Amino acid sequence: MDTIVNNEFVTVWVYPEKKIVRHKFHRFIYGDKFRQALMKGADAFAKHHCTKWLSDDRENSALLPEDLEWGQVEWEPKIMAAGWKHWALILPEKVVGQMNMKRLVKRYSDLGVNAEVFSDPNEAMEWLERQ
C-alpha cells in the first residue's frame, strides 16, 4: 500500500495489487481539503487501474451542499470514467451524516456501482478483496 494523502483531516491510500483506493476521515472535512483528498485518490485510482474504493467516514459528518455538488460535477465523472465498480462504505457516526451518505449509496448504485455499507473497516476491506 502507498500513502497518497496524510494530514489531520484524512489519510488516503492506494493498494495497487488489490486495485483499491481507501480513505479514512479523521475529523469533519470540507472544502479544499475534502476536494484535494478525493481528487488525489481519483488520480491514484486511474493510475493504478483500480476498480474498488473503501470510504471510512466514521469521523465525518454531513457533506456540505457545495461539496456534494462538486463531487457530482467534478469527482464523479472522473472516477466513473476510471472504472469504479465496487464501493465499501463505513457510515459516519452522526445520523445526519448517515442520511447524507445513504443518498450517495443509492445514487452510485443506480449508476452501476456495487455499493455495500459496513460498520467494521476490516470487514469492508475483506468484502472488497472478494469482489
Side-chain angles (χ1 to χ4, degrees):
M1 115 180 121
D2 296 321
T3 303
I4 306 301
V5 178
N6 189 23
N7 59 48
E8 68 273 20
F9 295 94
V10 61
T11 303
V12 181
W13 303 271
V14 63
Y15 299 76
E17 71 289 345
K18 297 178 182 182
K19 306 298 183 201
I20 297 172
V21 168
R22 176 180 187 172
H23 78 252
K24 178 175 177 31
F25 293 135
H26 306 302
R27 57 194 287 191
F28 179 55
I29 184 171
Y30 61 93
D32 287 341
K33 296 232 183 262
F34 172 79
R35 296 172 189 195
Q36 289 171 6
L38 285 187
M39 286 308 267
K40 287 182 180 181
D43 290 342
F45 193 96
K47 176 182 177 183
H48 296 285
H49 309 287
C50 295
T51 59
K52 308 168 191 180
W53 193 294
L54 193 161
S55 300
D56 186 342
D57 289 9
R58 288 175 289 177
E59 301 299 325
N60 204 20
S61 188
L63 296 176
L64 298 178
E66 53 269 27
D67 287 334
L68 275 170
E69 181 179 345
W70 170 86
Q72 292 175 5
V73 172
E74 300 293 332
W75 183 81
E76 180 181 299
K78 182 172 187 150
I79 200 77
M80 295 304 289
W84 190 24
K85 300 287 183 231
H86 307 283
W87 183 27
L89 169 65
I90 302 161
L91 291 172
E93 292 175 355
K94 295 180 178 172
V95 173
V96 67
Q98 292 173 14
M99 293 170 29
N100 195 275
M101 294 309 294
K102 285 177 181 177
R103 283 192 294 273
L104 286 178
V105 167
K106 168 97 171 79
R107 177 180 178 82
Y108 291 121
S109 292
D110 290 347
L111 291 173
V113 175
N114 179 21
E116 291 286 333
V117 174
F118 296 87
S119 57
D120 179 272
N122 294 324
E123 289 177 14
M125 183 61 102
E126 289 169 6
W127 176 81
L128 273 180
E129 290 173 357
R130 291 192 306 269
Q131 303 310 302

